[in-house]
Amino acid sequence: MDFSITREQKEFVEEVKRFGSTILNNKEDLDKFSYDLWMKIADFGLLSLVTEEKYGGLGESYLTAAMCIEALGYASRNNGLVFAINNHIWVAQNLINIYGSDILKEKYLEDMGSGKKIGCFALTEPDSGSDALSMASKVHEENDCYILTGTKMFISNGPIADIFMVVARNQEDPRKFSILVVEKDFIGVKTGNDIKKMGLNSCPTSEVVFDNVSIPKENILGTYGSGEPIMNAILEWERCYEFAPHVGAMQRIMEECCKYASSREQAGKKIIEYQAISHKIADMKVAVEMSKLMLYKIASLKDQRKNAFLEAAIFKLYVSENYVKICQDAIQIFGGYGYCEEYMIERELRDAIGSTIYSGTSEIQRNIICNMVNALIV
Ligand SMILES: Cc1cc2nc3c(=O)[nH]c(=O)nc-3n(C[C@H](O)[C@H](O)[C@H](O)COP(=O)(O)OP(=O)(O)OC[C@H]3O[C@@H](n4cnc5c(N)ncnc54)[C@H](O)[C@@H]3O)c2cc1C
């Protein structure tokens, strides 16, 4: 696989880093969603990276997009906002771009790229998380529309979203699922209050209730009942691109640790000279490089329109667990200062822990990996 990076890609990535570090790092923006920042991000072009040009997008390759999102995670400490951006792009807008009809593309893509409309993905329910297919939400056909009933839980961007990608079971044939494109203003849609979490609070999260919501027949991804393979593809997108910024964040934290350990002295030595410290930094570098390789591999596969379900599960598991470990090691390297709010590493750890849960927990990724490997070998 060829990951040689062009001059244009390098320049774009540098631009993203400059934008992220100068605009997205104000302390007052870290705990609440900012519409002002959202519009700046849209104006920069980040929300429409891979959208087709005829719908106002930049039409970039998935590899370029992966590098840009990684760069965003490197440049910005506002992990919640970056999470909100990625939920909007990869599990809402990009789905319409790939699986939507021309009518849906016309209807939503331009407004989503310009930041006017915010998207989200609603799969999890109060009683079905890891076992998502046991969901209770159901949909049936009625004349010229679909009727949706159900409750979704932990929906990132839920309180601010205009467009919900909702997975529901077909009432006529409960073995089948459909993915509906639901607008906030459709009668019967109710979003809950922002749920206070241990991190990522600049990405609001809520329950969303769909009470006999009537949805026009054109507002469906694929066809009625064809939702399961699309849902698997959605999970693949999110396990790659929602974790791309964490690769950048890991690199940023590693660099901060290097600088600190090279200046902090104890017992007459820079602490980086103690092997117990330097090996932690070496392990961080290994994790960053391995993660980058996997990210670029998946992005290249997506550019070739190939499946990457196993690769995305491996990447998601590896990145999330190393992101948490790197944050813990960083706190250890910074000692007492690392434990204090001012140094922002404890915040990073609180943000990172969520990554081992959302998009399927670490346990579920291990199940997927073993099942797929076993199927290939036995
Ligand atoms: C910050 C955040 C954002 C999220 N955003 C969204 C979103 O935008 N849209 C959305 O639909 N959902 C979202 N989620 C929900 C997320 O996908 C679920 O929380 C996750 O899939 C786990 O489901 P659960 O919380 O119901 O836990 P459960 O499924 O109840 O699991 C509890 C524990 O049991 C373990 N477990 C369960 N089944 C198995 C098994 N078969 N083998 C081994 N262990 C198992 C789990 O690994 C976990 O440790 C978000 C969650 C978080 C934390």
Side-chain angles (χ1 to χ4, degrees):
M1 241 168 226
D2 180 10
F3 301 139
S4 41
I5 300 168
T6 64
R7 192 166 53 85
E8 288 76 20
Q9 280 172 321
K10 270 189 198 146
E11 284 170 2
F12 192 16
V13 163
E14 286 310 313
E15 255 184 79
V16 172
K17 282 188 188 165
R18 262 194 306 277
F19 169 80
S21 57
T22 50
I23 309 286
L24 302 183
N25 280 335
N26 291 333
K27 274 195 175 166
E28 61 270 23
D29 295 322
L30 296 182
D31 285 313
K32 58 171 185 0
F33 179 79
S34 158
Y35 281 99
D36 181 41
L37 286 185
W38 184 259
M39 291 318 293
K40 285 186 176 143
I41 291 158
D43 290 345
F44 183 85
L46 277 175
L47 298 184
S48 50
L49 277 175
V50 293
T51 303
E52 289 175 56
E53 284 164 271
K54 66 174 168 176
Y55 299 110
L58 301 186
E60 294 290 352
S61 71
Y62 289 119
L63 183 56
T64 304
M67 289 173 189
C68 288
I69 301 291
E70 177 198 343
L72 195 64
Y74 174 80
S76 170
R77 291 174 179 282
N78 196 333
N79 299 311
L81 185 63
V82 174
F83 189 54
I85 295 169
N86 280 319
N87 273 283
H88 168 82
I89 301 176
W90 302 105
V91 292
Q93 187 183 184
N94 190 42
L95 305 184
I96 298 178
N97 200 35
I98 299 175
Y99 306 104
S101 63
D102 288 346
I103 297 175
L104 281 186
K105 289 181 187 180
E106 291 284 348
K107 215 166 157 181
Y108 298 118
L109 283 184
E110 212 157 325
D111 280 351
M112 292 179 94
S114 70
K116 216 164 139 189
K117 286 200 159 81
I118 300 178
C120 69
F121 176 55
L123 171 67
T124 307
E125 301 187 354
D127 294 323
S128 71
S130 301
D131 185 16
L133 290 185
S134 67
M135 72 182 69
S137 290
K138 51 187 196 281
V139 56
H140 67 270
E141 287 189 282
E142 209 173 272
N143 304 323
D144 57 350
C145 59
Y146 299 114
I147 306 292
L148 171 69
T149 300
T151 300
K152 296 292 181 179
M153 191 58 185
F154 301 132
I155 307 310
S156 303
N157 290 353
I160 51 167
D162 303 281
I163 300 165
F164 302 80
M165 305 288 149
V166 187
V167 190
R169 183 186 299 284
N170 284 18
Q171 214 161 302
E172 296 86 349
D173 180 352
R175 291 166 305 168
K176 291 191 171 162
F177 298 86
S178 299
I179 303 178
L180 292 314
V181 182
V182 183
E183 292 184 26
K184 156 184 94 175
D185 296 330
F186 289 175
I187 294 165
V189 177
K190 289 186 212 98
T191 52
N193 293 330
D194 185 10
I195 299 168
K196 186 92 182 113
K197 308 180 290 295
M198 72 186 283
L200 300 174
N201 282 308
S202 47
C203 173
T205 309
S206 72
E207 185 180 71
V208 186
V209 177
F210 303 96
D211 183 8
N212 270 305
V213 180
S214 174
I215 299 158
K217 280 219 164 139
E218 65 199 31
N219 277 35
I220 192 161
L221 295 185
T223 53
Y224 189 58
S226 73
E228 195 176 339
I230 300 179
M231 189 186 77
N232 287 331
I234 296 171
L235 294 173
E236 195 180 295
W237 286 110
E238 74 174 359
R239 285 172 193 160
C240 176
Y241 284 90
E242 285 183 8
F243 293 78
H246 306 340
V247 181
M250 291 196 290
Q251 166 131 10
R252 164 167 48 75
I253 297 164
M254 179 196 73
E255 290 177 8
E256 285 166 4
C257 287
C258 245
K259 284 183 199 148
Y260 184 80
S262 302
S263 64
R264 175 78 173 169
E265 285 186 18
Q266 287 297 289
K269 272 176 147 182
K270 310 274 186 222
I271 62 169
I272 201 162
E273 291 169 40
Y274 295 116
Q275 200 178 60
I277 298 292
S278 64
H279 281 191
K280 283 188 176 53
I281 294 172
D283 287 349
M284 290 179 184
K285 179 65 176 164
V286 172
V288 168
E289 291 304 318
M290 301 304 275
S291 304
K292 273 192 197 193
L293 275 179
M294 203 65 187
L295 172 63
Y296 299 168
K297 177 182 175 182
I298 298 170
S300 298
L301 288 171
K302 299 319 288 177
D303 276 328
Q304 296 167 56
R305 305 290 180 263
K306 288 187 178 159
N307 287 340
F309 197 73
L310 175 61
E311 288 83 354
I314 294 171
F315 176 68
K316 194 267 171 193
L317 177 67
Y318 186 78
V319 169
S320 58
E321 296 201 339
N322 276 287
Y323 186 22
V324 172
K325 182 172 183 301
I326 283 177
C327 291
Q328 285 171 331
D329 284 350
I331 290 177
Q332 207 64 26
I333 290 172
F334 276 71
Y337 298 104
Y339 195 64
C340 298
E341 271 188 21
E342 190 191 334
Y343 281 75
M344 314 262 279
I345 306 172
E346 59 79 41
R347 166 187 287 280
E348 197 88 41
L349 174 62
R350 287 188 283 107
D351 291 342
I353 285 174
S355 69
T356 64
I357 298 171
Y358 53 73
S359 304
T361 62
S362 289
E363 291 80 2
I364 294 303
Q365 303 315 307
R366 287 192 166 86
N367 292 352
I368 293 170
I369 294 164
C370 181
N371 288 341
M372 290 188 78
V373 168
N374 200 34
L376 286 174
I377 293 172
V378 181

